[in-house]
Amino acid sequence: MSNPFLRSPSAITPRPAPSLVRVKATPSVLEPARDAARRATAIVYCEANFGAIDGKTANGLVRHSEKYTILSVIDSQNAGRDAGEVLDGVHNAIPLCADLAAALALTDSIPDFFIFGMAPASGMLSPGERDVVLEAIGQGMNVVNGLHEFLNEDAEFVAAAAASKVRLIDVRRPREKKDLRLFSGRINQVNCPRIAVLGTDCAIGKRTTATILARALNAVGIKAVLVGTGQTGLMQGARYGVALDAVPSQFCSGEMEAVVVEAFEGEHPDVIIIEGQGALSHPAFSTSSLILRGSHPHAVILQHAPGRAHRCDFPAMPMPTPASEINLIQTFSDTRVIGLTLNHENMETAEVDAAATHYSRELGIPVADALTHTPARLVDMVLAAFPELHRRQVALLQ
């Protein structure tokens, strides 16, 4: 199937279309929405992992949450520090606490939710973590769980929740099998640009970049809708999405297609941003292939960590190069990679800038770090590839 939005490399690389309205640099682009008073309150559990790869759910919720007001994060190794300073070097008044008792001592009333904010490779609770979740339930807190282990299928948790009259929310739990959807081809009716943010590894910042990009586009008058594909994006408040890695493989493409169609029909956006999962080249994960098949993105933005020597959790597996991942993506799918975004872990500022210059010259596409560079660079990346969005932006400002 021919992709009507594809541009040749020469159409993308010569000169990015200018952003007509500048947006503020991160972290302000991820500031909580103004209706914070109407959001539920929550404590996030991230023991010994805040700011680390397995703490990506807590990290994401601290940076951005439309659904919850995050009161504190539990991590005894960082107790007494500010979550924003630990994560991004910017104070955000979310304290890190030693345990649940310390977190509750900072509140005037019991928070609405206890969120399990870690994403371990096992996807399961340890015995100690079970005790903490039961303690939260006993305090009268609803529990949000993003693991593959579903609390609603555990008799002990179900009984405890019933006794305390609280809810157990298993974010990754898919629809009933009778309600799962097969791929239908309806994706071809979605006639606005669809951009997937994929990566060269898991836990590399795809969701963060996708969130910043969507907010930056909306800030300049281009209506963007983010479609979540993992538990953290859904917890943050993505209105459309599915935890794809928990769906039976036969239905993954169909479920992916269905939520993109729902976003298009429900919002009538100018552009749809699709959060990626894993990496197409990663032998341990297949989700990227299903995202590409189900959403048929017109374009891809690739996230890479130049300072990461090997795949996370796989020390014997070297990181792929952006060039090799781009070749794989463009061979596998009728799409084009329009930009590269960087994860600056293990890098100094000068190294990030040098890497951006190097990859831009090597690959012939725009390169930016969503967290350290102005979000306008992400907007420019999209406008260069989709000039019709630029023309629409001009028309709105006239």
Side-chain angles (χ1 to χ4, degrees), residues 135-196:
E135 181 184 359
I137 292 172
Q139 291 286 346
M141 301 171 68
N142 302 292
V143 176
V144 179
N145 165 45
L147 298 176
H148 284 293
E149 177 179 2
F150 300 145
L151 305 187
N152 282 290
E153 295 178 357
D154 186 301
E156 184 177 20
F157 286 122
V158 170
S164 294
K165 296 182 173 58
V166 300
R167 290 183 294 151
L168 304 175
I169 301 172
D170 293 313
V171 177
R172 261 188 170 127
R173 190 170 186 170
R175 296 166 175 264
E176 296 296 326
K177 287 186 173 61
K178 64 181 178 62
D179 297 323
L180 290 171
R181 296 160 289 191
L182 292 167
F183 185 82
S184 67
R186 292 181 64 210
I187 194 69
N188 297 320
Q189 300 171 14
V190 179
N191 58 16
C192 70
R194 303 184 295 277
I195 303 173

Side-chain angles (χ1 to χ4, degrees), residues 143-335:
V143 176
V144 179
N145 165 45
L147 298 176
H148 284 293
E149 177 179 2
F150 300 145
L151 305 187
N152 282 290
E153 295 178 357
D154 186 301
E156 184 177 20
F157 286 122
V158 170
S164 294
K165 296 182 173 58
V166 300
R167 290 183 294 151
L168 304 175
I169 301 172
D170 293 313
V171 177
R172 261 188 170 127
R173 190 170 186 170
R175 296 166 175 264
E176 296 296 326
K177 287 186 173 61
K178 64 181 178 62
D179 297 323
L180 290 171
R181 296 160 289 191
L182 292 167
F183 185 82
S184 67
R186 292 181 64 210
I187 194 69
N188 297 320
Q189 300 171 14
V190 179
N191 58 16
C192 70
R194 303 184 295 277
I195 303 173
V197 181
L198 306 183
T200 55
D201 196 9
C202 60
I204 204 169
K206 297 179 289 289
R207 185 198 67 258
T208 297
T209 292
T211 302
I212 293 173
L213 173 60
R215 290 174 70 87
L217 288 168
N218 281 299
V220 299
I222 297 170
K223 185 175 181 180
V225 173
L226 176 63
V227 172
T229 56
Q231 74 277 14
T232 304
L234 297 175
M235 288 183 194
Q236 286 177 316
R239 291 189 297 269
Y240 302 92
V242 57
L244 207 59
D245 63 358
V247 175
S249 59
Q250 181 177 356
F251 300 98
C252 283
S253 291
E255 285 294 300
M256 184 77 257
E257 175 191 47
V259 294
V260 172
V261 171
E262 287 169 358
F264 177 68
E265 293 179 344
E267 304 294 333
H268 306 289
D270 298 320
V271 60
I272 295 174
I273 308 299
I274 301 149
E275 175 197 4
Q277 296 292 324
L280 187 59
S281 63
H282 203 309
F285 307 105
S286 61
T287 326
S288 285
S289 63
L290 299 164
I291 289 171
L292 287 166
R293 287 292 186 247
S295 70
H296 285 199
H298 301 111
V300 168
I301 292 174
L302 183 67
Q303 178 94 358
H304 180 63
R308 187 178 290 189
H310 57 80
R311 313 254 200 185
C312 66
D313 296 327
F314 294 87
M317 194 181 296
M319 285 286 289
T321 65
S324 67
E325 195 75 25
I326 289 171
N327 179 63
L328 181 61
I329 290 168
Q330 295 182 163
T331 301
F332 181 82
S333 181
D334 181 23
T335 191

Side-chain angles (χ1 to χ4, degrees), residues 115-128:
I115 302 175
F116 191 86
M118 294 188 293
S122 68
M124 307 293 284
L125 291 168
S126 70

Side-chain angles (χ1 to χ4, degrees), residues 54-75:
D54 282 356
K56 66 178 184 178
T57 297
N59 303 342
L61 288 167
V62 163
R63 284 189 173 121
H64 170 69
S65 177
E66 297 178 15
K67 187 177 291 187
Y68 307 104
T69 296
I70 307 303
L71 302 179
S72 61
V73 177
I74 297 171
D75 180 357

